[in-house]
Amino acid sequence: MKPRKLKTNVYWVGAVDWDRRLFDELIPLPDGTSYNAYLIKSSEKTAMIDTVDPTKTDMLIDNLDQLHVENIDYVVANHAEQDHSGTLSQMLKLYPNAKVVATPKCKNLLMDLLLIPENKIVTVEDRETLSLGDKTLEFIHAPWVHWPETMLTYLREDRMLFTCDLFGSHLATSDLYVTDEATVYEAAKRYYAEIMMPFRMVIQKNLEKIRDLQIEIIAPSHGPVYDKPEFIIEAYRDWVYAPPKNMVVLPYISMHGSTRKMVEYFVSALVERGINVKQFDLAKTDIGKLAIALVDTATIVIGSPTVLTGPHPNVVYAVYLANALRPKLKFASVIGSYGWGGRIVERIAGMLSNLKVELLEPVVIRGFPKEDDFKALDRLADEILNKHKEHDLMES
Ligand code: FEO
């Protein structure tokens, strides 16, 4: 993709990674991603905002060549993670006058992770400004989106906010700006769920910090640029602030059909009671879809058979993830089956320590479900209904 103009003398110079399917060797990328870097030419100085993943260095250099960039004065590192900072060393070699601009914490990480020499880094305080001539950068410290060193950069004259990971989406697209809002909403929600949700309370503070900025364009470092910033800001407000919805998320696995039969019966029982359900077979599901569902659901019910006295390993992984992501869940329970004994409830409950959930009485049975077991599932469905009613969630 060639450089693309966003404003007078402001260009996208990043790389679209159409084929990447895994991030951090962990996070599925069904739609690829992009590493957005930006170039700002001003009357006196030239600055770049973030770089690209090391695998795409050639694309960044090619874009800078096409714009005939002979000198860069500043490379702003909003974030030290390598998908944005991984090309800093090459930039400093190609442009020997350049200084890296970063928060003090980012400076330390850049020195530790990328071996950037200390004398090449200039630190900036919260709300400090840097004049480039007829354009001015303002740096807004925004810790924990999603590392401790992160900041946002505001280009005052053009009312552009460069947010790095915040508001980003793992989406490879030829669109410079958001055109297909539904697709971007899904990708941005997935991104929020997987990357940002554990820091929900801190994000509230960061959203407050930018409330009074006049923003015409939000330019994140993954996915398309927002020329209607309220689209993504309103989405974040909903994900961060709104109460959870009348929904049960049901990740499960079944080895021989007993837990599956329980899940099928239980899902019908919930739906009959007016409760929405999203069920995920952990043998097959895209784990990112589960993360998205956790953003605004009120209740999680985990379905597991018993393996070597504990839950199935795929269930352990999903529960670990749910606990680490710290969603707005209010209630949790367990359903499942065993052959001759086990401790799946204790093991699963012990893994939910980050979540402020009320544990509802589980239904864990011996073998294939029988009449009394179905009654127990009805009892659990009734209890969830009552809890959702008590918390005024039925209309949400
Ligand atoms: Fe896109 Fe935290 O790096």
Side-chain angles (χ1 to χ4, degrees), residues 36-322:
N36 301 334
Y38 300 94
L39 189 81
I40 302 168
K41 289 180 174 174
S42 194
S43 57
E44 294 173 18
K45 306 281 187 187
T46 297
M48 188 159 69
I49 310 285
D50 293 321
T51 68
V52 299
D53 189 86
T55 57
K56 299 296 177 190
T57 305
D58 290 352
M59 287 187 182
L60 175 61
I61 292 173
D62 190 43
N63 281 338
L64 295 173
D65 284 347
Q66 289 187 51
L67 290 172
H68 309 293
V69 178
E70 293 178 355
N71 180 60
I72 291 178
D73 299 283
Y74 303 107
V75 184
V76 175
N78 281 326
H79 179 24
E81 193 165 6
Q82 289 85 341
D83 53 325
H84 309 293
S85 65
T87 311
L88 276 175
S89 292
Q90 283 89 338
M91 290 299 106
L92 294 176
K93 278 189 197 134
L94 280 173
Y95 301 99
N97 293 332
K99 295 277 189 189
V100 177
V101 179
T103 65
K105 279 186 180 156
C106 190
K107 174 182 172 180
N108 292 337
L109 281 169
L110 293 174
M111 290 167 61
D112 288 343
L113 298 176
L114 293 146
L115 310 182
I116 305 291
E118 183 170 15
N119 65 2
K120 298 298 287 184
I121 306 174
V122 178
T123 61
V124 286
E125 296 302 319
D126 189 24
R127 298 288 178 176
E128 193 171 329
T129 58
L130 176 64
S131 174
L132 306 176
D134 59 3
K135 294 184 189 286
T136 312
L137 300 179
E138 179 179 350
F139 305 103
I140 301 165
H141 287 202
W144 293 110
V145 291
H146 58 123
W147 282 13
E149 87 299 0
T150 42
M151 71 174 181
L152 319 176
T153 299
Y154 182 57
L155 176 54
R156 277 185 178 170
E157 290 76 7
D158 293 299
R159 298 180 176 178
M160 293 181 69
L161 186 64
F162 300 92
T163 58
C164 200
D165 281 344
L166 184 65
F167 304 133
S169 60
H170 282 312
L171 188 61
T173 171
S174 58
D175 294 339
L176 178 60
Y177 293 105
V178 174
T179 54
D180 178 349
E181 288 196 346
T183 298
V184 176
Y185 184 91
E186 174 88 358
K189 190 171 185 180
R190 174 188 284 262
Y191 193 89
Y192 167 82
E194 294 168 336
I195 310 286
M196 296 292 167
M197 189 158 63
F199 311 104
R200 185 160 45 92
M201 306 312 283
V202 187
I203 291 174
Q204 290 184 5
K205 289 183 189 154
N206 288 326
L207 288 177
E208 289 306 313
K209 259 184 126 166
I210 63 169
R211 183 180 282 275
D212 295 330
L213 280 184
Q214 293 186 308
I215 303 171
E216 286 180 16
I217 289 177
I218 287 180
S221 291
H222 295 291
V225 173
Y226 302 93
D227 56 353
K228 298 185 184 79
E230 62 281 4
F231 164 71
I232 192 65
I233 290 175
E234 284 307 314
Y236 260 68
R237 289 212 173 103
D238 182 50
W239 302 334
V240 167
Y241 290 108
K245 295 184 171 33
N246 173 34
M247 173 84 70
V248 170
V249 163
L250 210 169
Y252 76 99
I253 208 154
S254 184
M255 295 191 297
H256 298 293
S258 301
T259 302
R260 177 169 289 109
K261 186 70 183 173
M262 295 177 77
V263 166
E264 287 169 1
Y265 184 89
F266 187 55
V267 167
S268 290
L270 291 167
V271 172
E272 279 170 15
R273 288 161 176 79
I275 299 167
N276 301 310
V277 186
K278 288 185 178 166
Q279 75 176 63
F280 297 92
D281 182 347
L282 295 170
K284 303 182 178 86
T285 196
D286 167 357
I287 204 79
K289 292 273 189 189
L290 172 61
I292 293 171
L294 287 170
V295 168
D296 38 26
T297 197
T299 300
I300 185 168
V301 176
I302 298 139
S304 182
T306 305
V307 180
L308 299 173
T309 75
H312 189 285
N314 289 26
V315 171
V316 171
Y317 175 52
V319 174
Y320 177 88
L321 187 75

Side-chain angles (χ1 to χ4, degrees), residues 5-25:
K5 183 176 171 183
L6 287 156
K7 291 261 190 177
T8 303
N9 289 327
V10 181
Y11 300 89
W12 177 93
V13 291
V16 177
D17 196 339
W18 297 93
D19 301 324
R20 190 164 179 179
R21 286 293 173 269
L22 204 57
F23 196 86
D24 290 345
E25 306 304 336

